[in-house]
């Protein structure tokens, strides 16, 4: 099974300071056919204006991954963490039994563009925790690089779910393939550029659901930055 999810089909909310596209039902956007895909619950494609951001707010029992595409995002949380997330960084916050945090673009002129991803955990009520790692462009060039996994394999951030997240940069003749184990499914989200996935051409913001297949093939990229989710 292959199902394309076009960028223009996503939910959209423009608040002035925040321009947000919702892949799955979120906030005021509700589509009973798009409530998530397996444990993957949220992919929000957010652009935050200079000097703006999300004030302190709370989360519980969710694995939250932040992936910055452009600009910088300043993070503060109730665990005492303070950091700035830039392109190449992957931040993982396990909300567990409760955490509060804020996210701001402190730049005076540039927009911060990032993806915020929520994955439902396999355990609830745990102590909240935080992790941030950097993966440079060379690590993702022409290949799928593991950035999140349940066991922290290959230097990835650790999430509390049987899910693996890969990132790749593909252009020209570069090609990457990922084999799916029996019973697994995949979700491919193209953050920018153009890319062919199993023969389906995707543009920026497009996605593809894949199930009952043995392999996911990514090729014919045009300045493509892509995330692949291997899900139970």
């Amino acid at each position: 099974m292959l199902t394309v999810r076009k960028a223009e089909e996503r939910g959209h909310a423009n608040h002035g300071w925040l321009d947000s596209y919702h892949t799955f039902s979120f906030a005021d956007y509700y589509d009973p056919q798009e409530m998530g895909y397996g444990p993957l619950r949220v992919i929000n494609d957010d652009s935050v204006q200079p000097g703006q951001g999300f004030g302190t707010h709370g989360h519980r029992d969710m694995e939250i991954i932040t992936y910055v595409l452009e600009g910088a995002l300043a993070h503060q949380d109730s665990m005492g963490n303070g950091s700035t997330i830039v392109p190449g960084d992957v931040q993982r916050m396990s909300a567990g039994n409760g955490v509060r945090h804020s996210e701001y673009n402190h730049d005076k002129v540039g927009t911060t563009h990032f993806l915020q991803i929520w994955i439902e955990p396999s355990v609830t009520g745990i102590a909240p925790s935080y992790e941030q790692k950097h993966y440079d462009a060379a690590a993702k060039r022409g290949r799928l690089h593991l950035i999140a996994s349940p066991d922290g394999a290959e230097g990835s951030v650790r999430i509390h779910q049987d899910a693996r997240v890969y990132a790749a940069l593909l252009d020209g003749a570069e090609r990457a393939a990922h084999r799916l184990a029996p019973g697994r499914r995949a979700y491919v989200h193209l953050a920018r550029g153009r890319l062919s996935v199993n023969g389906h051409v995707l543009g920026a913001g497009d996605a593809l659901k894949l199930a009952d297949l043995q392999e996911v093939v990514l090729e014919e990229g045009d300045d493509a930055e892509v995330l692949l989710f291997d899900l139970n």
Side-chain angles (χ1 to χ4, degrees), residues 70-193:
E70 295 179 41
L73 191 68
H75 166 95
Q76 296 279 342
D77 66 44
S78 56
M79 294 178 282
N81 298 298
S83 65
T84 299
I85 314 163
V86 298
D89 288 350
V90 175
Q91 179 204 73
R92 183 271 303 163
M93 188 174 70
S94 297
N97 58 19
V99 67
R100 294 178 64 78
H101 75 141
S102 63
E103 299 155 294
Y104 276 92
N105 172 16
H106 289 307
D107 194 281
K108 294 181 179 179
V109 294
T111 298
T112 295
H113 180 200
F114 68 100
L115 301 177
Q116 187 157 102
I117 298 151
W118 294 8
I119 295 175
E120 295 176 350
S122 57
V123 292
T124 59
I126 61 174
S129 60
Y130 177 92
E131 192 176 8
Q132 183 173 331
K133 294 189 176 183
H134 184 80
Y135 308 94
D136 61 22
K140 298 174 282 188
R141 171 55 58 196
R143 64 186 292 264
L144 286 161
H145 185 79
L146 186 65
I147 60 171
S149 70
D151 55 4
E154 301 175 29
S156 59
V157 300
R158 184 177 181 181
I159 55 175
H160 297 86
Q161 179 53 268
D162 182 14
R164 289 163 180 81
V165 187
Y166 299 82
L169 301 173
L170 297 166
D171 196 40
E174 293 172 337
R175 181 181 186 274
H178 178 75
R179 291 195 64 81
L180 287 174
R184 304 287 293 185
R185 52 186 159 175
Y187 194 90
V188 175
H189 178 86
L190 185 60
R192 53 186 166 192

Side-chain angles (χ1 to χ4, degrees), residues 5-8 10 23 45 187 189-193 202-207:
R5 171 77 158 151
K6 300 297 291 182
E8 59 268 22
R10 299 177 295 176
T23 293
D45 187 340
Y187 194 90
H189 178 86
L190 185 60
R192 53 186 166 192
L202 305 182
D206 291 348

Side-chain angles (χ1 to χ4, degrees), residues 21 35 44 48 52 56 65 69-70 77 89 96 117 124 146 155-156 183 203 210 218:
Y21 289 87
M35 297 300 296
N44 285 350
V48 177
Q52 301 292 326
T56 302
I65 296 171
L69 296 164
E70 295 179 41
D77 66 44
D89 288 350
I117 298 151
T124 59
L146 186 65
S156 59
L210 305 101
L218 301 90

